[in-house]
Amino acid sequence: MQTAQRILRGYRRRRLMVCIGLAVLALVLTLSARYVAERKVNEQHFLTFNQRIISTLENILTPLEEVNNALIPLVGLPCENAQFKMRENAARLQTVRTIGLIKDGILYCSSVFGSRNVPIHLLQPRLPSALPLLFLSIDRSLLKGTPILLSWVPLANSSNDGVMQIINIELLTGLILEPERPWVSRAVLNVADSHLEYGEGLLQRITIEDGQVSHEMASNRFAFSVTTIGPSPGALALSNLPTQLPLALILSMLIGYIAWLATANRMSFSWEINVGLASHEFEVFCQPLVSARNLQCVGVELLLRWNNPRQGWISPDVFIPLAEQQNLIAPLTRYVLDETVRHLDIFPKSCHFHIGLNVAASHFHEGEIITDLRSSWFPAHPLQKLTLELTERDALPDVDHRVVRDLHRMGVDLAIDDFGTGQSSLAYLETLNPNVLKIDKSFTAAIGTDAVNSTVTDIIIALAQRLEINLVAEGVETPQQAEYLRSHGVNVLQGYLYARPMPLSEFPRWLRGNTRPPRRRGHPVSVVPLR
């Protein structure tokens, strides 16, 4: 059996665990989403940086093709005839440092120096070439030792004649290869087998430090590529993640709070009771009442049992008070009433046979109990007498006395259960006008002892006899108690001496004379009564 405190603690613990779990999940998901988004932003920075460099260089190199078409016809002309045209094109391009005309492998005309007579291979070992070339090199004539980007276009069918254009790539480096921190730590221009890095000049090979990654993007129009080096997008996103923590914590706490509110009904004992009612987990038991004179069964008290598949057997002393706190005692009473009506045939069909049903005082408010009886009990036209038992521990003064009057007129008896154990007041006997007083088992157990309860038992019996109210003694367990009560005028007895609580299906067999304690699936059934 579970205790109320254990069940409530269990629900609160599970509810808290769910809310904490959702809050943690929200925190993890938020940080993960921010990490993924930040990583994508970092990757986009790399991509955008590379695209900007490539786009800029392509815009610089594209006009060179047009200029080459204009310069090719100048190869072979005297330098004094071609120089003006060469200077005009160099000035128009702006990024071009110098233009040279090569004839038979000799640089014979320069846009800067005019007429020259220098074997081109002495200045640039790769030239002349039968193929167009674009490569990085070192200037050996104008600004000696500075990096340059050289474009070579040979004449058709001639590997020793062509046009050479030198681009001032060092000047452009500061514009297009400057790192963009923290995403890009280094930027390198790759042309042929040479590499130009901002602030480092020409490199033979690219080295990457530990913890950094490289991203390379090639031009679709020209023979060059760009390599950017920096922290990995994931590592950079991870390093920025602490800045996202305050917002993520606020969001996770909000999710946890919303979950706490949302689970107030779902993960509560009231939800458990509603599930139990919907799934018919509750079972109605009955405990016979016998006549003290001839030991014939004159009625039953209906009791409720709950074999919860999630919690096990839950005592009525646990779930009834909790149901009262959650305002679910009326649905439980309706469940007992419906089950009783469904099994009316198992009870003796006699107006002298009483069926006792425990009812909370709150069920009397605004005539709710009368509405339920009219919708369930009276349409069945039972011959048996219905007795509604009000426990004295309830707030009996709150009972609507007009409802009590109407119940009497409808032929329903009222009983005060556990009389003398709660907030006793003789005014109850006047305002409620009960038909029956039920002597609590604690007074029955005191019979034959020197306890004060023994004297109180005699007082209750005398009071009931004086007011002509029927008496029922609960908790009769010994023949001595039964004899004492019978000799003092208590006409109806109830207790283990005669029968334990049993499922409704067991009652006909007991009534036929089988008094063995009922068993359920091989185990004795719990006998805690509904209160």
Side-chain angles (χ1 to χ4, degrees):
M1 289 286 185
Q2 300 279 354
T3 64
Q5 294 78 9
R6 180 184 299 177
I7 289 177
L8 291 179
R9 280 199 304 268
Y11 277 107
R12 283 194 294 267
R13 182 170 59 252
R14 287 193 295 273
R15 185 180 173 195
L16 185 62
M17 289 174 63
V18 167
C19 295
I20 292 176
L22 288 176
V24 171
L25 180 62
L27 178 64
V28 172
L29 291 178
T30 301
L31 292 178
S32 299
R34 291 304 306 159
Y35 170 80
V36 172
E38 190 76 16
R39 186 179 62 184
K40 288 183 178 179
V41 169
N42 296 335
E43 291 174 348
Q44 188 61 40
H45 272 288
F46 274 107
L47 181 62
T48 303
F49 187 85
N50 287 350
Q51 287 175 338
R52 179 174 58 82
I53 295 176
I54 289 177
S55 177
T56 302
L57 279 178
E58 286 180 344
N59 291 336
I60 292 172
L61 295 176
T62 298
L64 295 183
E65 294 180 330
E66 300 175 2
V67 170
N68 285 329
N69 294 331
L71 294 176
I72 288 295
L74 300 179
V75 177
L77 294 177
C79 188
E80 59 269 18
N81 296 334
Q83 188 178 19
F84 178 77
K85 187 70 173 179
M86 294 168 60
R87 287 179 176 178
E88 182 183 15
N89 282 284
R92 183 163 57 87
L93 293 174
Q94 295 182 350
T95 56
V96 174
R97 179 181 295 183
T98 181
I99 300 174
L101 300 180
I102 292 85
K103 181 66 176 176
D104 297 326
I106 303 297
L107 174 61
Y108 77 94
C109 188
S110 169
S111 62
V112 175
F113 297 107
S115 296
R116 300 192 70 182
N117 186 20
V118 180
I120 189 62
H121 70 274
L122 296 178
L123 299 176
Q124 298 295 334
R126 298 189 183 187
L127 301 179
S129 171
L131 298 174
L133 294 178
L134 182 68
F135 60 91
L136 291 168
S137 185
I138 300 296
D139 191 359
R140 291 182 173 85
S141 59
L142 185 59
L143 298 176
K144 295 181 179 181
T146 60
I148 58 172
L149 179 62
L150 193 146
S151 172
W152 163 258
V153 178
L155 267 65
N157 302 319
S158 177
S159 62
N160 293 321
D161 303 336
V163 176
M164 174 183 69
Q165 297 188 64
I166 296 177
I167 300 171
N168 192 0
I169 194 64
E170 184 180 35
L171 177 62
L172 294 175
T173 300
L175 298 176
I176 63 176
L177 295 182
E178 183 177 1
E180 188 175 317
R181 300 181 187 277
W183 303 280
V184 179
S185 302
R186 298 164 57 196
V188 181
L189 174 63
N190 310 304
V191 185
D193 57 353
S194 297
H195 315 282
L196 176 62
E197 180 178 352
Y198 173 82
E200 297 294 333
L202 289 181
L203 304 175
Q204 292 300 318
R205 62 187 183 87
I206 302 175
T207 59
I208 302 175
E209 299 176 357
D210 292 340
Q212 293 194 325
V213 296
S214 64
H215 299 258
E216 184 172 356
M217 180 179 289
S219 170
N220 293 325
R221 298 180 58 189
F222 300 97
F224 74 88
S225 65
V226 176
T227 300
T228 50
I229 301 170
S232 70
L236 196 58
L238 195 61
S239 66
N240 292 333
L241 208 56
T243 62
Q244 309 295 328
L245 189 58
L247 179 62
L249 284 174
I250 293 174
L251 182 60
S252 65
M253 288 189 290
L254 180 62
I255 293 296
Y257 178 68
I258 293 175
W260 180 264
L261 297 179
T263 56
N265 292 327
R266 179 69 178 179
M267 299 190 67
S268 65
F269 198 74
S270 60
W271 175 82
E272 191 79 45
I273 291 178
N274 286 323
V275 170
L277 289 172
S279 304
H280 294 277
E281 296 170 1
F282 292 93
E283 185 174 2
V284 178
F285 279 47
C286 66
Q287 186 173 22
L289 283 69
V290 301
S291 169
R293 293 190 299 272
N294 54 23
L295 300 183
Q296 294 296 309
C297 181
V298 295
V300 293
E301 179 184 1
L302 300 178
L303 311 171
L304 196 59
R305 297 291 181 268
W306 188 10
N307 186 8
N308 188 317
R310 297 164 297 280
Q311 302 277 355
W313 284 99
I314 301 180
S315 166
D317 286 342
V318 173
F319 71 79
I320 293 299
L322 292 176
E324 291 175 345
Q325 294 174 15
Q326 302 292 332
N327 296 321
L328 289 173
I329 193 65
L332 288 178
T333 303
R334 294 189 195 102
Y335 183 87
V336 175
L337 192 60
D338 292 340
E339 287 295 298
T340 303
V341 170
R342 198 161 63 88
H343 292 86
L344 272 177
D345 291 342
I346 70 171
F347 301 114
K349 295 177 176 57
S350 170
C351 61
H352 300 293
F353 189 85
H354 291 257
I355 297 177
L357 176 66
N358 291 280
V359 180
S362 59
H363 206 159
F364 280 61
H365 291 170
E366 299 181 359
E368 187 178 5
I369 183 63
I370 293 180
T371 301
D372 292 337
L373 291 177
R374 284 175 174 169
S375 64
S376 179
W377 177 261
F378 290 114
H381 303 292
L383 294 177
Q384 299 87 347
K385 187 79 168 179
L386 179 63
T387 301
L388 300 182
E389 300 184 9
L390 280 163
T391 176
E392 198 182 3
R393 289 191 295 270
D394 287 337
L396 296 184
D398 293 339
V399 173
D400 190 331
H401 303 299
R402 291 172 298 180
V403 175
V404 172
R405 184 179 63 249
D406 291 343
L407 288 173
H408 282 302
R409 290 175 179 174
M410 296 166 68
V412 177
D413 286 350
L414 288 179
I416 296 180
D417 199 8
D418 302 329
F419 185 75
T421 60
Q423 303 171 6
S424 300
S425 174
L426 295 179
Y428 294 173
L429 302 178
E430 179 180 358
T431 56
L432 298 180
N433 190 23
N435 304 93
V436 179
L437 292 182
K438 299 193 74 173
I439 302 173
D440 186 72
K441 59 184 177 182
S442 61
F443 298 118
T444 302
I447 292 175
T449 68
D450 296 331
V452 175
N453 282 353
S454 179
T455 303
V456 174
T457 304
D458 295 338
I459 295 174
I460 293 173
I461 294 173
L463 177 64
Q465 291 174 345
R466 186 65 179 266
L467 297 176
E468 298 182 352
I469 301 175
N470 295 324
L471 282 168
V472 175
E474 296 181 309
V476 180
E477 298 184 358
T478 66
Q480 292 77 13
Q481 294 170 351
E483 179 59 33
Y484 181 90
L485 293 167
R486 184 168 43 251
S487 63
H488 283 72
V490 179
N491 297 325
V492 181
L493 308 178
Q494 177 183 359
Y496 291 175
L497 180 63
Y498 307 107
R500 293 175 176 269
M502 64 190 73
L504 292 181
S505 59
E506 299 283 349
F507 179 72
R509 183 165 61 90
W510 177 88
L511 199 61
R512 290 193 299 269
N514 188 347
T515 58
R516 290 179 297 173
R519 300 177 71 83
R520 194 73 167 168
R521 296 175 185 171
H523 300 284
V525 176
S526 172
V527 293
V528 183
L530 172 66
R531 289 291 181 263

